[in-house]
Amino acid sequence: MKAGVIVSLGLACGAIADQLARRADPDLIQVLSTLANEPQEIGEDTAASISDVVSRLQHGTNSTTPGSVQSALSNIALAVSGADNIVDAATAITAAGLIPSEIASFLNGYLDSELNSQDNSNPIAKHIYPYKAAADAPYSLPESTLRAAIHIPDSFSFGRNGNTPVILIPGTAIPAGTTYYYSFSKLANSSAGIDVVWVNMPRASLSDSQVTAEYVAYAINYISALSAGKSVGVISWSQGGLNTQWALKYWPSTRLAVADFIAMSPDFHGTVDANVLCPVLDDVACTPSIFQQEYTAEFIQVLRADDGDSAYVPTTTVYSTFDEIVEPQSGSNASAFLHDARGVGVTNAHLQTVCAGKPAGGVYTHEGVLYNSLAWALAIDAISHPGPGSLDRVDLARVCEQLVPPALGLDDVLGTEGLLLLAVAEILAYQPRATREPAIRAYAKLNHTLVR
């Protein structure tokens, strides 16, 4: 190795060690400090390890101790335990001092973040618009708008080298790039053979869910087409599960393009507490998609009709009793629970049942499922094997003992919880307010195959 490279590596390791010192990771600090203070020729394995550390730091993945994560989770649970709505929950988390200044600064800049761009310059894909199959519902949006909402990282390989494309679908009131910054956007770095893209929904998924579902349907066929027809994985959070299920129901062509659907904290049956999402002027004026997520909403009833409460593709759904947004989330009546009338394969993973009495089965919030170790293990297992995530394949003895997956740390826990602050800002800023849910689109009212 050339001397200049060794010196640069030493300086870089010193800088990294300084960052790690603020993140309380003594083992890595020791290794990197040694390299910084005693520049020497190093082997390829060591260089690769250092490169991995640099990559993880650049992507915000911090190392931390189980004790600090446990303390944070306990404080989060305590903070949100008395919250009656999302504003109370966000206020309690902030008042408890759980969001460090550097994380708050990142979250505050979400409106200007390139991660959340809806004006992306993406290549054109053929034969998927205005429809891919005759039975597909019609799009109400131009293809250029649908295509521009898809954020494709520079690292995305378009299915080459055997990599599986995975599309990240956001939930209510939070842009996709920020939603997954502290969680599943890091999946590509932590598991070989996985590439991720995400869809930045208009108005943070607060407008008509039927329109938001168009972005999901288009993205599925688009990414598959650009990946030489390879089937994709879809990971959703919260309302993203509803939007994906709607897309799979009314754009049947997407079913052939999806190998796995993994839903985190989904509300396939809405929530009996939809008003906790709209605490200002609730029952009077809110946003279209929040009205559509009420337990008795027409949107929910139409979605679940004709076995819409069953999976259309291999589906893994992960949810927590302590979900402060979607209720109920336990037992066979859990909103996240899907049936399997079509025999495609479904895994319903209730954290507190699968990991009962273990750390991964503890108090995880609606957003907390995004950093839960069982959720990650099942997602990776589903993407890596045919069919849904399998509890028999996952090493539950190990995974259930983990508070967070190895790819994540304390910053990711706190950054994910900080998403509530953005949700409050988006909900309160939404205009014009709606007083009822949007009308069901004509295609969803039809009882026969669409005719072209």
Side-chain angles (χ1 to χ4, degrees):
M1 183 177 292
K2 295 181 180 180
V5 175
I6 296 174
V7 172
S8 296
L9 179 60
L11 294 173
C13 289
I16 295 169
D18 289 340
Q19 292 187 52
L20 287 170
R22 295 193 293 272
R23 297 182 177 191
D25 192 329
D27 294 334
L28 284 175
I29 291 170
Q30 181 60 48
V31 171
L32 296 174
S33 293
T34 298
L35 287 170
N37 295 327
E38 301 177 16
Q40 54 188 292
E41 195 145 344
I42 61 175
E44 290 184 2
D45 290 344
T46 303
S49 297
I50 293 172
S51 176
D52 178 62
V53 171
V54 173
S55 176
R56 288 189 287 118
L57 283 171
Q58 288 175 337
H59 288 83
T61 302
N62 56 303
S63 299
T64 188
T65 61
S68 60
V69 173
Q70 179 62 70
S71 176
L73 291 177
S74 297
N75 289 333
I76 290 165
L78 182 63
V80 303
S81 61
D84 293 325
N85 55 58
I86 193 170
V87 171
D88 288 348
T91 301
I93 286 174
T94 303
L98 293 173
I99 311 300
S101 59
E102 62 271 21
I103 292 177
S105 178
F106 168 77
L107 295 175
N108 285 336
Y110 80 100
L111 287 174
D112 298 321
S113 174
E114 193 173 311
L115 296 173
N116 300 318
S117 172
Q118 297 173 29
D119 189 25
N120 300 292
S121 179
N122 295 323
I124 295 174
K126 297 180 179 180
H127 310 305
I128 63 172
Y129 188 94
Y131 56 89
K132 183 178 179 181
D136 286 351
Y139 290 106
S140 66
L141 298 170
E143 183 176 18
S144 58
T145 300
L146 296 168
R147 185 172 63 245
I150 303 170
H151 183 101
I152 304 177
D154 292 338
S155 59
F156 189 70
S157 69
F158 297 96
R160 292 188 290 270
N161 303 320
N163 286 0
T164 299
V166 174
I167 305 170
L168 306 179
I169 306 298
T172 306
I174 309 170
T178 301
T179 292
Y180 292 107
Y181 181 82
Y182 290 106
S183 57
F184 282 102
S185 68
K186 301 180 181 183
L187 194 61
N189 297 326
S190 63
S191 182
I194 295 177
D195 282 332
V196 298
V197 302
W198 53 89
V199 186
N200 290 320
M201 304 301 181
R203 311 202 68 184
S205 303
L206 287 168
S207 53
D208 188 349
S209 293
Q210 296 168 103
V211 177
T212 303
E214 293 185 24
Y215 287 86
V216 180
Y218 182 84
I220 288 171
N221 282 333
Y222 176 81
I223 294 299
S224 175
L226 289 188
S227 302
K230 187 179 181 68
S231 295
V232 304
V234 176
I235 296 178
S236 70
W237 175 55
S238 189
Q239 181 199 333
L242 272 181
N243 296 335
T244 301
Q245 188 76 348
W246 187 274
L248 291 168
K249 181 173 184 176
Y250 292 110
W251 281 266
S253 65
T254 60
R255 303 174 200 172
L256 297 176
V258 175
D260 288 284
F261 172 27
I262 302 121
M264 304 294 169
S265 302
D267 55 343
F268 294 125
H269 203 156
T271 174
V272 297
D273 284 335
N275 286 336
V276 303
L277 280 170
C278 208
V280 178
L281 300 179
D282 55 344
D283 291 326
V284 178
C286 195
T287 80
S289 73
I290 291 179
F291 276 119
Q292 289 170 316
Q293 291 176 81
E294 292 180 353
Y295 203 77
T296 57
E298 186 179 12
F299 176 82
I300 295 294
Q301 305 311 311
V302 170
L303 173 67
R304 294 176 66 83
D306 302 319
D307 291 325
D309 58 352
S310 282
Y312 292 95
V313 298
T315 301
T316 306
T317 171
V318 188
Y319 50 103
S320 170
T321 294
F322 302 100
D323 192 313
E324 79 279 21
I325 302 297
V326 178
E327 295 182 7
Q329 283 290 46
S330 61
S332 60
N333 290 323
S335 185
F337 190 94
L338 274 188
H339 299 285
D340 192 18
R342 299 172 185 83
V344 295
V346 174
T347 296
N348 292 290
H350 177 236
L351 297 180
Q352 288 74 30
T353 298
V354 177
C355 292
K358 302 294 184 180
V363 181
Y364 285 83
T365 60
H366 181 67
E367 59 280 5
V369 175
L370 291 173
Y371 54 74
N372 178 270
S373 58
L374 178 63
W376 271 67
L378 283 172
I380 292 172
D381 181 81
I383 295 167
S384 304
H385 300 87
S390 171
L391 293 172
D392 292 330
R393 285 192 299 260
V394 170
D395 184 357
L396 294 179
R398 173 181 59 83
V399 171
C400 286
E401 291 295 337
Q402 297 173 337
L403 291 166
V404 295
L408 305 182
L410 180 58
D411 282 359
D412 302 305
V413 171
L414 301 179
T416 299
E417 290 298 329
L419 296 177
L420 290 181
L421 307 180
L422 308 192
V424 169
E426 286 284 346
I427 291 170
L428 296 182
Y430 188 91
Q431 293 294 334
R433 308 293 280 186
T435 56
R436 63 179 66 87
E437 68 172 298
I440 296 297
R441 297 294 174 105
Y443 66 78
K445 294 180 178 179
L446 297 177
N447 293 319
H448 55 82
T449 301
L450 291 169
V451 178
R452 299 295 180 186

